[in-house]
């Protein structure tokens, strides 16, 4: 260690570990702990060296405000407690605030329909993710809710469109359908069906009547073609 290091440690001990006679009758250490570390202890005990809030502009502002002084919207301040104590207090209040909405929403949610999209093997191997790109869209004009997705198995060239009426008691025609891209972008009828086959990389609703898709050419070579296409929902 250099002399500078020793001086630094000595100054630290002198500043933070002075004897504190007023703490002698208190259980625990008789010295002031380092002032930052005391805030991080996961204890309910009061701080050994609480902060001096005299002259703090925020506290003065609250003290002089008749409306804010007793406001239930302000989180109470505990100048004698550590951050762990305050964190637990805040978590408790947040949980209390969220419990009622969670109960109400939970009672109002129910299953409207169940659709079997695919079956997986019953082996003990981890099941691969087959459901991809779920994108939600709500058409407020016609009160229709849409879900766009693809299934990664033998239908990578298809994009599925699921639609349901927001009023669960009503149904819509073609509740679920698939759009297959395949070789629809071939330049001529003379091209072989497998020469330019496309799969869907991504899909989003552009507006209530149009879907934007990003297509990828299914070839193994470099420079695979990408196509940005817009499809009318009709």
């Amino acid at each position: 260690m250099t002399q500078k290091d020793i001086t630094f440690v000595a100054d630290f001990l002198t500043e933070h570990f002075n004897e504190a006679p007023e703490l002698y009758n208190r259980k625990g250490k008789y010295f002031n702990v380092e002032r930052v570390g005391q805030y991080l202890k996961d204890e309910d005990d009061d701080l050994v060296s609480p902060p001096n809030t005299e002259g703090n502009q925020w506290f003065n502002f609250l003290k002089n405000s008749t409306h804010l002084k007793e406001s239930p919207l302000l989180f109470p301040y505990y100048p004698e407690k550590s951050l762990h104590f305050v964190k637990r207090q805040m978590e408790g209040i947040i949980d209390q605030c969220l419990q009622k909405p969670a109960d109400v929403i939970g009672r109002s949610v129910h299953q409207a329909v169940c659709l079997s999209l695919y079956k997986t093997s019953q082996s003990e191997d981890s099941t691969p993710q087959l459901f991809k790109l779920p994108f939600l869209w709500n058409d407020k004009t016609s009160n229709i809710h849409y879900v766009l997705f693809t299934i990664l198995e033998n239908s990578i060239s298809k994009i599925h469109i699921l639609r349901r009426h927001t009023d669960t008691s009503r149904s819509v025609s073609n509740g679920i359908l698939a759009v297959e891209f395949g070789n629809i972008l071939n330049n001529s009828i003379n091209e072989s069906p497998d020469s330019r086959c496309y799969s869907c990389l991504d899909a989003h609703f552009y507006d209530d009547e149009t879907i934007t898709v990003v297509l990828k050419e299914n070839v193994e070579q470099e420079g695979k073609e990408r196509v940005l296409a817009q499809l009318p929902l009709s």
Side-chain angles (χ1 to χ4, degrees):
M1 297 177 67
T2 65
Q3 185 61 39
K4 185 177 180 180
D5 295 330
I6 297 175
T7 304
F8 177 78
V9 173
D11 291 342
F12 179 87
L13 295 175
T14 302
E15 180 180 355
H16 295 294
F17 289 85
N18 289 331
E19 291 190 21
E22 69 274 9
L23 302 177
Y24 284 172
N25 59 353
R26 179 171 172 174
K27 183 181 179 181
K29 297 179 180 178
Y30 298 150
F31 302 95
N32 289 339
V33 298
E34 194 271 316
R35 295 189 177 187
V36 174
Q38 65 177 345
Y39 290 101
L40 305 179
K41 289 188 174 182
D42 192 4
E43 299 174 352
D44 289 340
D45 294 338
D46 292 346
L47 298 176
V48 176
S49 300
N52 180 12
T53 59
E54 184 178 353
N56 185 292
Q57 295 180 350
W58 173 247
F59 295 122
N60 292 339
F61 171 69
L62 292 182
K63 191 184 302 181
N64 297 327
S65 172
T66 55
H67 299 291
L68 290 177
K69 189 183 300 184
E70 304 298 332
S71 173
L73 300 178
L74 289 178
F75 192 80
Y77 176 59
Y78 303 96
E80 305 288 333
K81 298 297 184 179
S82 72
L83 292 178
H84 279 282
F85 176 87
V86 176
K87 175 176 176 286
R88 284 196 299 271
Q89 294 288 319
M90 181 175 290
E91 287 175 340
I93 292 176
I94 292 175
D95 289 342
Q96 184 179 359
C97 292
L98 296 179
Q99 187 59 48
K100 185 69 174 178
D103 293 341
V104 173
I105 295 173
R107 287 194 298 268
S108 66
V109 173
H110 64 278
Q111 179 178 299
V113 65
C114 180
L115 298 173
S116 178
L117 298 177
Y118 57 81
K119 295 180 184 290
T120 58
S121 62
Q122 299 298 319
S123 64
E124 297 182 358
D125 299 336
S126 60
T127 304
Q129 179 188 1
L130 297 179
F131 192 72
K132 189 185 176 188
L133 292 181
F135 178 76
L136 309 180
W137 179 267
N138 184 255
D139 183 351
K140 295 181 175 60
T141 305
S142 56
N143 296 324
I144 301 293
H145 194 70
Y146 292 90
V147 184
L148 298 179
F149 61 93
T150 58
I151 298 178
L152 304 177
E153 200 167 39
N154 54 4
S155 58
I156 59 174
S157 62
K158 294 179 183 177
I159 179 173
H160 296 75
I161 305 173
L162 168 66
R163 63 178 185 174
R164 296 285 302 173
H165 203 286
T166 53
D167 181 357
T168 56
S169 63
R170 301 176 58 183
S171 61
V172 294
S173 58
N174 296 329
I176 184 171
L177 55 83
V179 178
E180 183 168 13
F181 301 101
N183 57 1
I184 61 172
L185 298 178
N186 284 357
N187 291 329
S188 71
I189 59 175
N190 296 325
E191 292 188 46
S192 64
D194 298 327
S195 62
R196 294 168 66 86
C197 190
Y198 292 85
S199 60
C200 183
L201 280 179
D202 201 0
H204 281 212
F205 266 80
Y206 180 76
D207 55 28
D208 288 342
E209 302 172 350
T210 311
I211 298 174
T212 300
V213 294
V214 179
L215 303 176
K216 177 188 72 172
E217 190 176 6
N218 294 334
V219 293
E220 299 299 329
Q221 63 199 39
E222 287 294 324
K224 292 186 285 189
E225 186 177 355
R226 302 290 194 273
V227 177
L228 180 69
Q230 288 197 304
L231 306 178
L233 196 58
S234 59

